[in-house]
Amino acid sequence: MTETGTIRLTSLSHGAGCACKLPLAALEELMSSVGSGLGAAGGDLLVGAAEGDDAAVLRIDDRRALVLTTDFFTPIVDDARDWGRVAAANALSDVYAMGGRPLIALNLTAWPAADLPMELLAEVLRGGAEIAAEAGCLVVGGHSIDDPEPKYGMAVVGMADPERLLTVDRARPGDQLVLTKPIGTGVVATALKRGSPDPALVAATVTSMTTLNRSAGEAAVAAGLVAATDVTGFGLLGHLYRMARASGVAAEVAAAAVPFLPGAAELAGEGFVSGGTRNNQAFLADKVDLDPDLPPVVATLLHDAQTSGGLLLSVPPERLKALLADLVDRGLRPALVGRVTRGSAGRIRVRRLPPA
């Protein structure tokens, strides 16, 4: 608690937000060991667990497909309502990343009932319901357990056109890479957990994390894109690696073009780096070629474990201008951060500056 008796939710978490995910290396080993126990796509199952995409997709008929996903995590901020809002936006994001719209959601809650007041949990749930309502998604119940570490999130069902899906495995050489939100939520959350960062910086980060990816997803579908993912716990480079590997392509990133949240670089330079980010760096060390002149702080942020980050869109060059204009018209600030290239599947080159 603080000196005023306020409960610091982040002090109850071993890892803030999506930084508490299993490391990418452990997750890939787990999925490999499960093998055929989890369904691969086939028949009406258009996207299954084996594809490693943001959500599963089940075709109902020629015009409709269900999009199914779930996401939950430990407190990323100390304000209970804001935590609920961030967690809900993060869970809904997987539907938008597939080109769908969320329809219905169930709350997933773990709560130390003997130690934290139920009124605080009610604030979390109200925050989640607020974001779901903004998305036009009904919250219809859920499940709760008693747990010494608080956790919250949602299971979400959405709807998409099976002929207009966005998937992780269809990036093509020559595509341009567009990012729809700045990165740096991980270092801000880590700074909040360990100390007292500038409240204005925390507020800006919460605003970013609670901004729905609805507009970005709608613009991507309207532009006829086919490849996308959202940027969460595996960081920008981790999610790009997964997209590139699934698509059988390589990629380049221009570090100078990647937008950072205000103050994020300074916090990274002060050492506020999460365990999730360090796991990302370790996993990607032999998969990413970093420009030797790249500042260490920038390298850290490119691996930074995000929570409720933006969409990473793979855009054919002939569609780029119209897409960027549409995103800006929708109130977003997209950044052209790289390109898809030919090369070893999943290999990423990070340049300090865009190629001449």
Side-chain angles (χ1 to χ4, degrees):
M1 290 192 181
T2 65
E3 293 179 357
T4 61
T6 304
I7 296 172
R8 293 193 68 241
L9 288 171
T10 53
S11 70
L12 307 177
S13 167
H14 76 281
C18 286
C20 69
K21 282 186 174 183
L22 286 175
L24 187 50
L27 182 61
E28 294 208 337
E29 182 178 350
L30 172 66
M31 296 300 291
S32 176
S33 66
V34 172
S36 60
L38 295 175
D44 287 331
L45 183 61
L46 303 181
V47 181
E51 285 67 48
D53 217 316
D54 293 297
V57 181
L58 180 69
R59 179 169 47 207
I60 300 174
D61 54 36
D62 290 344
R63 300 184 62 183
R64 298 176 300 166
L66 292 177
V67 182
L68 303 99
T69 186
T70 185
D71 213 313
F72 62 95
F73 48 68
T74 52
I76 187 168
V77 291
D78 290 322
D79 184 279
R81 175 174 161 272
D82 280 345
W83 174 30
R85 295 169 65 229
V86 171
N90 185 75
L92 296 169
S93 180
D94 285 340
V95 176
Y96 296 128
M98 304 298 293
R101 58 184 179 88
L103 299 177
I104 197 166
L106 297 169
N107 287 317
L108 302 173
T109 304
W111 198 255
D115 300 318
L116 292 181
M118 297 303 288
E119 292 81 6
L120 202 61
L121 175 56
E123 275 295 289
V124 177
L125 298 180
R126 277 192 282 269
E130 178 184 324
I131 289 295
E134 181 182 340
C137 178
L138 300 172
V139 182
V140 294
H143 184 68
S144 62
I145 62 169
D146 192 282
D147 191 313
E149 185 178 54
K151 303 172 185 73
Y152 172 67
M154 288 178 166
V156 186
V157 177
M159 188 75 73
D161 183 337
E163 298 299 322
R164 305 182 76 186
L165 289 176
L166 303 171
T167 59
V168 76
D169 60 351
R170 292 190 284 175
R172 295 293 177 260
D175 284 0
Q176 303 295 295
L177 296 170
V178 173
L179 182 65
T180 65
K181 284 186 185 181
I183 62 176
T185 66
V187 295
V188 177
T190 302
L192 182 61
K193 181 175 172 58
R194 295 181 187 172
S196 301
D198 183 348
L201 172 56
V202 175
T205 303
V206 169
T207 296
S208 179
M209 292 189 294
T210 55
T211 298
L212 292 171
N213 280 324
R214 175 175 54 193
S215 293
E218 290 174 350
V221 171
L225 304 190
V226 296
T229 189
D230 67 342
V231 179
T232 54
F234 303 138
L236 174 61
L237 292 182
H239 286 283
L240 176 56
Y241 162 75
R242 285 167 65 90
M243 175 187 279
R245 188 185 62 174
S247 301
V249 298
E252 289 185 353
V253 172
V258 178
F260 300 147
L261 285 164
E266 290 77 7
L267 291 175
E270 293 169 17
F272 292 109
V273 181
S274 70
T277 298
R278 297 191 191 282
N279 288 334
N280 293 339
Q281 290 175 309
F283 177 76
L284 294 170
D286 62 351
K287 302 170 180 64
V288 175
D289 300 312
L290 297 174
D291 188 320
D293 294 328
L294 194 68
V297 164
V298 174
T300 295
L301 286 169
L302 294 178
H303 293 87
D304 190 44
Q306 300 302 283
T307 298
S308 194
L311 297 190
L312 180 63
L313 307 174
S314 188
V315 188
E318 67 274 14
R319 301 178 187 269
L320 181 63
K321 183 177 180 180
L323 172 72
L324 293 176
D326 190 13
L327 290 169
V328 170
D329 286 345
R330 293 171 186 264
L332 302 178
R333 300 178 66 182
L336 181 59
V337 298
R339 61 179 181 170
V340 179
T341 62
R342 299 186 186 278
S344 300
R347 197 76 195 174
I348 299 173
R349 179 181 181 183
V350 178
R351 299 174 179 265
R352 184 169 184 175
L353 299 171

